[in-house]
Amino acid sequence: MRHIVVVGILVILVSFLTYFGLTALGLMPVQGSVQAGYVDQLWNWDLIPLCFLFSIIMVPLVYSLIVFRRRPGETGDGKYDEGNHTLEVTWTIVPLLLVTIYAYLGAYTLGKTRYADPNALVINVTAHQWDWSFQYPEGFSSNELHLPVGRQVLLEMTSLDVIHDFWVPQFRIKQDILPGRTTELRITPDRLGNYTVACSELCGLRHAYMTRPVMVTSLQDFSAWSAQQSKAYAALLAKGGPDAGKAIVAQEGCGGCHSIDGARMTGPTWLHLFMSQVPLSDGRTVIADKAYIIESIKDPNAKIVATFPANVMPHFDLTDQQIADIESYIETLK
Ligand code: CUA
């Protein structure tokens, strides 16, 4: 009985010390979003039974090693008890209750972090090896993620190649990004600051360097930045040419099917396309001149490239000027 009382007191003491010790270490980055508050709260709730479990295993173990160690001259087996119904029922019921409670707490937190604000600012995120692109409702794209403080953003994310993962540690939540699919993440930044978005899914050689700045600014600063970007984007489109074409291509998401590095995707690559010999599925060969490229954008089924299926490319609502800009961009990829 004396041993049980001593171990009991030690277990409680070590539980508290472990919990407060870990909490005092301050291992967490600052909370940068509303969602971070819920995640940290759940983490805190998880930590309490974890510290207790740690100590209820370690304290009796160490205590037994010291107090019940084999002394010189002892050769027999130690005393042991066989079967204890009270104990067995207890260690079945208590964990069952705990797991049920924590399942509820987990679901509750998931619901809170997924709360959808109908006024959320929608930003399209494109991930590829090994960089990020963020496209704003006004049409312009940026390699920096600028967010206004206090407003929920809905990130609509897709990948051009392999699986990536959007992760800003200060926002706590993260989400995989898959090719050919759109995944969502909702974040409500509630603290001004400069953070970094990192990729959290091993995606190749430069995975570790797939980072970009994230700036949470006041609404005024965000509006000013956004207006300036919009103006520059409008000027770029008005000027026309390859740069405008590149911007339109980014906006329309052409890169989801056409690579610019020679890789085979859903559609033919654009690398070295201009003025090249293109074998068609009907056995003919054509030269990929201006007229051919423009025709292929306007009417994708007019000429089908050999080994590629027909009826895959959707119709894009583009003006003749926009199509000419895209064509001039493709010319630069020869
Ligand atoms: Cu992208 Cu790792």
Side-chain angles (χ1 to χ4, degrees), residues 241-316:
D243 290 340
K246 193 178 177 183
I248 298 163
V249 161
Q251 187 183 343
E252 300 293 335
C254 308
C257 293
H258 300 279
S259 76
I260 56 167
D261 62 359
R264 187 191 166 100
M265 296 172 78
T266 309
T269 183
W270 289 349
L271 185 70
H272 308 314
L273 172 64
F274 185 62
M275 293 316 271
S276 68
Q277 305 256 358
V278 178
L280 300 181
S281 58
D282 60 9
R284 288 183 297 152
T285 298
V286 292
I287 300 286
D289 55 9
K290 210 179 267 269
Y292 164 81
I293 293 172
I294 288 174
E295 180 191 49
S296 297
I297 298 172
K298 282 188 174 170
D299 181 11
N301 288 325
K303 294 190 176 71
I304 300 299
V305 179
T307 76
F308 286 92
N311 303 314
V312 172
M313 180 166 149
H315 173 75
F316 287 86

Side-chain angles (χ1 to χ4, degrees), residues 15-30:
S15 297
F16 274 100
L17 283 177
T18 314
Y19 176 75
F20 289 110
L22 283 176
T23 314
L25 280 178
L27 295 172
M28 287 286 198
V30 294

